Amino acid sequence: MNNFALIKRTSPLHDYWQSEQNDLDERQRLLKINHESKAKYLFEKEPYKWENLYQSIIREVLKGDEGSINGLKVLLDTVSSTEREKIFKSYRDVNLFDEDVIENLLNKRKKTK
């Protein structure tokens, strides 16, 4: 599987895109929101924009752009902690990132170069 397919599969919106996107699917999507996040609006009201940012930022991280890790942290903060745990598990399951990148994403205080 190529990186693009792997990235799509790790998205918390993957199941939503594969669904009929009816009212029930929408409610399921909204349950994934971290209501404490200052950037939650993007996930809540602009899921297509959120997804585009998610995929493009991950591609930049994969290219070695450590500064993009901070952008990914902001996006990941828009989803609930339970959902973030699933995302990190999927990163490991598909070997999308090396463990250093995952640890950096998990540690909000850690600075990138």
Side-chain angles (χ1 to χ4, degrees):
M1 195 175 296
N2 64 30
N3 278 348
F4 183 70
L6 293 176
I7 293 167
K8 286 174 44 174
R9 212 168 93 194
T10 65
S11 170
L13 293 171
H14 181 264
D15 291 341
Y16 179 71
W17 302 136
Q18 303 302 311
S19 74
E20 294 178 17
Q21 298 180 18
N22 59 29
D23 289 343
L24 177 61
D25 299 324
E26 179 69 3
R27 282 194 300 273
Q28 292 295 96
R29 182 185 71 80
L30 294 174
L31 288 174
K32 296 179 180 187
I33 294 172
N34 172 10
H35 293 284
E36 304 299 317
S37 171
K38 293 179 182 175
K40 74 176 182 175
Y41 177 86
L42 191 61
F43 190 89
E44 183 176 18
K45 303 290 186 188
E46 304 280 352
Y48 290 99
K49 287 181 183 176
W50 189 97
E51 183 72 24
N52 286 332
L53 278 170
Y54 179 78
Q55 291 185 25
S56 66
I57 289 173
I58 287 183
R59 284 193 301 271
E60 292 304 311
V61 172
L62 290 172
K63 290 179 192 174
D65 180 4
E66 292 184 15
S68 293
I69 290 173
N70 290 328
L72 187 52
K73 286 180 184 182
V74 170
L75 283 181
L76 293 177
D77 187 55
T78 64
V79 297
S80 69
S81 59
T82 303
E83 198 60 36
R84 274 193 307 276
E85 288 175 22
K86 291 177 188 176
I87 293 167
F88 287 116
K89 181 182 181 327
S90 70
Y91 289 164
R92 288 181 173 109
D93 288 349
V94 300
N95 295 312
L96 188 62
F97 297 124
D98 62 32
E99 197 60 33
D100 289 343
V101 171
I102 293 174
E103 288 302 316
N104 194 339
L105 288 167
L106 286 167
N107 184 356
K108 290 184 179 182
R109 291 185 202 101
K110 187 172 182 178
K111 302 286 185 200
T112 57
K113 294 177 186 173

